[in-house]
Amino acid sequence: MPERNENLVEVRHLKQYFNINVGMFSSKPLKAVDDVSFSIRKGETLGLVGESGCGKTTVGRTLLHLYKPTDGEIFFEGRPVRTKAEINELRKKATMVFQDPYSSLNPRMTVSDIIGEPLDIHRMYKSKAERQERILELMDRVGLNSEHASRYAHEFSGGQRQRIGIARALALNPEFIVCDEPVSALDVSIQAQVINMFDELQEQMGLTYLFIAHDILVVRHISDRIAVMYLGKMVELADAKEIYEHPLHPYTRSLMSAVPQPDPRIARANKRIVLTGDIPSPLNAPSGCPFRTRCPHATAACAESMPEFRELAPGHFAACHRIGDIG
């Protein structure tokens, strides 16, 4: 395994705005990601959680320059990623596993061609025999049989299709993979198999993951650290065990209180923190702290300014004006 104290990925003040038409001649920025900063160490899994629409998928896609960042900087292996050449170099070392195994695979391509497509684009083989050998090696690595190579994606189950997507992501021997809710479309029994495979691949290949999900139990199982997003902002970041046992931000506390407890006594003693109201639209986000409209601890100060995302304990960051008061 690589040294885990060296940052592989670093994101500084990342912003991703989309212009939305709100009238015949006017548009307004939808702030999908608004001033987000974090780093991921080599060999680490950073879990990114939050409700639907909070911007977590946009973070992953912008990180790989599938969207051009509105502002901010992205560093890979200590070097900035800005120019077209730097982006192409990044895409040889960083890739993505998409959420929906049904729509992310081309129905007109065989499994062999789907997995081999990155090899074709980057010309990573000298002969057709070498290409085929590499494809069969990748299929074996993710638990697919060699006779599946000539079949089409629609002939497979959801779990098998996701394995095809993972094999495609591994084709160039990447160092970093963005996993965008890779198990949310799968049956629970299949989810465990795929999560365990991600763990094994990380151990065997020294991979680094950004693991995006809305299921905190899944994220806790696979992640070394967990970051929590709300309405385009990062509100908390800490070690997985620390954030699970000692959440500081009111939003994180609400998420953790909703996690099912297998022990009935603990479940009865656990007080569920129910949030009122709906998530505001990122098109019309509240002033100050974005969570204040649903926060039971909000005061007038919360409407005036966005709290600083700061380190409140070693390795534990949060953005809240009232953390010291709500202890």
Side-chain angles (χ1 to χ4, degrees):
M1 288 287 286
E3 288 295 321
R4 295 168 65 121
N5 56 0
E6 187 183 332
N7 289 338
L8 180 71
V9 177
E10 196 172 344
V11 173
R12 297 179 189 168
H13 307 293
L14 186 67
K15 294 181 181 180
Q16 184 62 65
Y17 298 171
F18 300 103
N19 281 327
I20 305 296
N21 291 327
V22 292
M24 192 171 289
F25 300 109
S26 61
S27 63
K28 192 174 181 181
L30 186 150
K31 298 180 179 179
V33 179
D34 194 15
D35 199 12
V36 165
S37 300
F38 60 90
S39 60
I40 309 175
R41 295 185 287 269
K42 285 186 178 180
E44 177 185 44
T45 299
L46 176 68
L48 187 58
V49 298
E51 293 166 296
S52 296
C54 73
K56 54 190 188 296
T57 291
T58 306
V59 167
R61 293 187 173 213
T62 306
L63 190 52
L64 297 182
H65 279 264
L66 300 182
Y67 301 141
K68 184 181 178 182
T70 304
D71 198 8
E73 290 190 291
I74 297 164
F75 293 83
F76 190 80
E77 295 182 320
R79 293 186 291 274
V81 181
R82 298 187 189 112
T83 66
K84 191 173 181 180
E86 289 166 346
I87 293 168
N88 287 338
E89 195 60 31
L90 170 71
R91 287 178 182 164
K92 290 179 186 176
K93 298 180 180 179
T95 186
M96 192 165 194
V97 174
F98 295 92
Q99 176 178 3
D100 187 359
Y102 296 88
S103 63
S104 64
L105 304 178
N106 190 330
R108 293 188 177 90
M109 294 171 71
T110 63
V111 170
S112 178
D113 286 337
I114 289 170
I115 296 172
E117 190 174 23
L119 301 173
D120 298 336
I121 291 168
H122 294 282
R123 297 172 187 170
M124 299 292 286
Y125 55 86
K126 293 173 184 173
S127 65
K128 285 191 175 180
E130 186 183 332
R131 176 185 184 271
Q132 191 63 14
E133 185 182 338
R134 175 66 177 150
I135 289 166
L136 294 177
E137 178 195 325
L138 289 162
M139 290 179 68
D140 180 62
R141 178 155 258 171
V142 299
L144 294 169
N145 296 326
S146 57
E147 56 262 31
H148 292 157
S150 58
R151 291 164 61 180
Y152 291 86
H154 71 268
E155 300 177 56
F156 295 89
S157 67
Q160 287 174 314
R161 290 187 204 191
Q162 196 58 291
R163 288 172 188 268
I164 296 167
I166 293 166
R168 177 179 61 187
L170 295 173
L172 300 178
N173 274 327
E175 296 176 42
F176 176 59
I177 300 180
V178 174
C179 306
D180 181 19
E181 305 216 28
V183 297
S184 64
L186 307 178
D187 292 342
V188 174
S189 58
I190 306 299
Q191 283 185 8
Q193 295 175 20
V194 174
I195 290 291
N196 289 337
M197 186 173 65
F198 275 117
D199 273 337
E200 289 166 14
L201 290 169
Q202 185 174 44
E203 193 68 34
Q204 292 164 8
M205 302 175 68
L207 294 168
T208 303
Y209 296 138
L210 174 64
F211 197 94
I212 299 165
H214 59 262
D215 187 333
I216 288 183
L217 285 176
V218 168
V219 171
R220 188 196 178 197
H221 176 79
I222 197 169
S223 302
D224 298 295
R225 291 186 300 147
I226 294 175
V228 181
M229 280 188 73
Y230 183 85
L231 209 67
K233 299 275 191 183
M234 193 169 283
V235 296
E236 190 158 1
L237 170 65
D239 286 344
K241 186 179 180 192
E242 169 71 13
I243 208 167
Y244 194 84
E245 295 179 354
H246 304 291
L248 296 177
H249 195 280
Y251 176 61
T252 313
R253 290 183 176 195
S254 172
L255 290 181
M256 295 304 172
S257 75
V259 174
Q261 295 288 347
D263 188 327
R265 288 171 299 178
I266 296 174
R268 280 192 294 270
N270 186 33
K271 289 185 179 179
R272 176 79 195 275
I273 302 170
V274 180
L275 299 176
T276 57
D278 297 321
I279 305 177
S281 166
L283 202 57
N284 295 295
S287 62
C289 175
F291 184 59
R292 68 176 177 80
T293 58
R294 301 172 74 197
C295 179
H297 308 286
T299 64
C302 301
E304 291 169 9
S305 64
M306 174 64 197
E308 181 189 354
F309 190 68
R310 57 199 172 94
E311 191 170 17
L312 299 159
H316 197 150
F317 297 80
C320 179
H321 286 307
R322 301 212 56 215
I323 280 176
D325 304 327
I326 60 178

